[in-house]
Amino acid sequence: MTTHYRLIFTTCANKQEARAMAEQLVQLKLAACVNILPEVESIYMWQDKVTSATETKLLIKTKSEKMNQVIQTIKKLHSYEVPEIQVIDVATGNMAYFNWMDEVLN
């Protein structure tokens, strides 16, 4: 089965920012569902220094045709200068879930 769905990952500085972003994406019908993972530890290079931070991870479920709008909304709402935005193509899954996504995102 080939689908036209995407899973988009981003991290936020805190749970409040993540919740506000998730609610906005769902309210605008850009995402059918957003999972909030309240605490992840990130270690990364920033301005030539190894840095660590506790962040909140979002898993955003959307359709391919809404992907660019989701990315633009993340950039607009995000507090980071360079937010993580990674997109994964969904190859297969539960068709009933995809049907639900189609209903919600129309």
Side-chain angles (χ1 to χ4, degrees):
M1 176 183 94
T2 305
T3 65
H4 57 284
Y5 304 95
R6 300 292 182 265
L7 179 61
I8 300 175
F9 294 93
T10 193
T11 50
C12 294
N14 55 56
K15 193 172 179 182
Q16 292 77 21
E17 179 181 39
R19 187 181 239 325
M21 189 178 300
E23 287 177 356
Q24 184 79 13
L25 289 167
V26 171
Q27 185 174 35
L28 293 172
K29 293 190 174 197
L30 297 178
C33 175
V34 180
N35 298 121
I36 300 173
L37 305 177
E39 190 171 302
V40 295
E41 184 177 356
S42 298
I43 299 172
Y44 54 94
M45 187 67 74
W46 183 250
Q47 298 177 342
D48 296 323
K49 295 181 199 164
V50 175
T51 305
S52 66
T54 300
E55 299 178 295
T56 300
K57 188 83 157 177
L58 295 181
L59 285 69
I60 304 160
K61 289 93 171 228
T62 193
K63 295 171 74 171
S64 300
E65 61 265 21
K66 295 186 180 267
M67 180 185 63
N68 288 331
Q69 288 177 279
V70 171
I71 291 169
Q72 291 310 310
T73 301
I74 292 170
K75 288 178 178 179
K76 180 178 129 190
L77 297 175
H78 218 290
S79 64
Y80 290 175
E81 184 179 333
V82 182
E84 169 198 3
I85 302 173
Q86 297 180 12
V87 180
I88 296 177
D89 294 339
V90 176
T92 189
N94 181 359
M95 199 62 211
Y97 188 83
F98 297 136
N99 290 338
W100 168 79
M101 285 181 65
D102 289 338
E103 288 175 28
V104 169
L105 294 176
N106 283 331

